[in-house]
Amino acid sequence: MFYTTQFPSPVGLITLASHQGKLVGLWIENQKYFGDTVSNKLIEKANLPIFNQTKKWLDEYFDGHDPNIKQLELAPIGSSFRQMVWQILIQIPYGQLTTYKDIAKEVAQILNKPHMSAQAIGGAVGHNPISIIIPCHRVIGSNGSLTGYAGGIDKKVQLLTLEGINLTELTIPKTATTS
């Protein structure tokens, strides 16, 4: 069974999803690709251990702390390529940034390929089903652009600001929309 609950947060209402006691989804209200990795019906069940642990983790995070991701059992649903990219995202330290290009280089090295498309990486990052916890908001364009956050650029700015990242050298793309 797939279960769901909601969590009010500073970036908007968050929907959590679980399966077999593991977290499979965390989506910000109106997020692009909201719930797209869970095709089964979600049943409301708020008081599950994984939800309680996740809410505690989120409370710590939104209080400005760096909670340990290993406290949570994560089971994001996606292809092996996306899983590889999401594992790289998990390694980005709190309060730090990386680029799509840097992740592309790392994936190319793992796959023993001469190069990897940053756009392919962007697709995997954008379809991350466990936002915030798998920190896709910490990925920026190689030119310093705050591009590509499914939750909206305004949410990305909020999360990076919370983590103490200096945004003065970063830019918001002209085509960016906020939610």
Side-chain angles (χ1 to χ4, degrees), residues 17-168:
S18 73
H19 179 64
Q20 296 180 341
K22 297 179 181 179
L23 192 69
V24 297
L26 185 157
W27 302 281
I28 301 168
E29 189 174 27
N30 300 318
Q31 175 178 324
K32 192 175 185 181
Y33 313 119
F34 187 100
D36 76 336
T37 56
V38 178
S39 58
N40 298 55
K41 182 180 179 192
L42 293 170
I43 299 165
E44 179 70 32
K45 193 164 187 179
N47 199 21
L48 294 176
I50 188 60
F51 290 154
N52 294 334
Q53 293 160 358
T54 302
K55 289 174 182 180
K56 182 177 185 266
W57 191 98
L58 288 167
D59 282 336
E60 288 179 37
Y61 177 82
F62 286 116
D63 281 344
H65 303 287
D66 179 16
N68 189 341
I69 195 170
K70 293 178 181 173
Q71 295 172 349
L72 303 173
E73 288 196 65
L74 306 179
I77 300 166
S79 69
S80 59
F81 176 77
R82 287 182 178 177
Q83 296 282 345
M84 181 187 327
V85 171
W86 300 335
Q87 285 303 311
I88 292 169
L89 294 178
I90 288 171
Q91 304 308 311
I92 305 169
Y94 180 93
Q96 295 186 32
L97 301 173
T98 193
T99 67
Y100 295 97
K101 183 178 179 179
D102 289 338
I103 295 172
K105 287 178 185 176
E106 189 170 343
V107 169
Q109 185 176 16
I110 291 168
L111 296 176
N112 199 26
K113 293 187 173 198
H115 59 84
M116 173 62 58
S117 160
Q119 288 80 12
I121 300 304
V125 171
H127 284 85
N128 168 20
I130 305 179
S131 294
I132 302 171
I133 295 172
I134 298 178
C136 51
H137 60 280
R138 297 178 188 153
V139 183
I140 63 170
S142 57
N143 63 354
S145 176
L146 291 172
T147 187
Y149 190 60
I153 297 299
D154 58 331
K155 305 289 193 291
K156 185 171 189 160
V157 167
Q158 280 183 269
L159 295 170
L160 296 177
T161 300
L162 174 77
E163 292 185 22
I165 293 174
N166 181 350
L167 304 178
T168 57

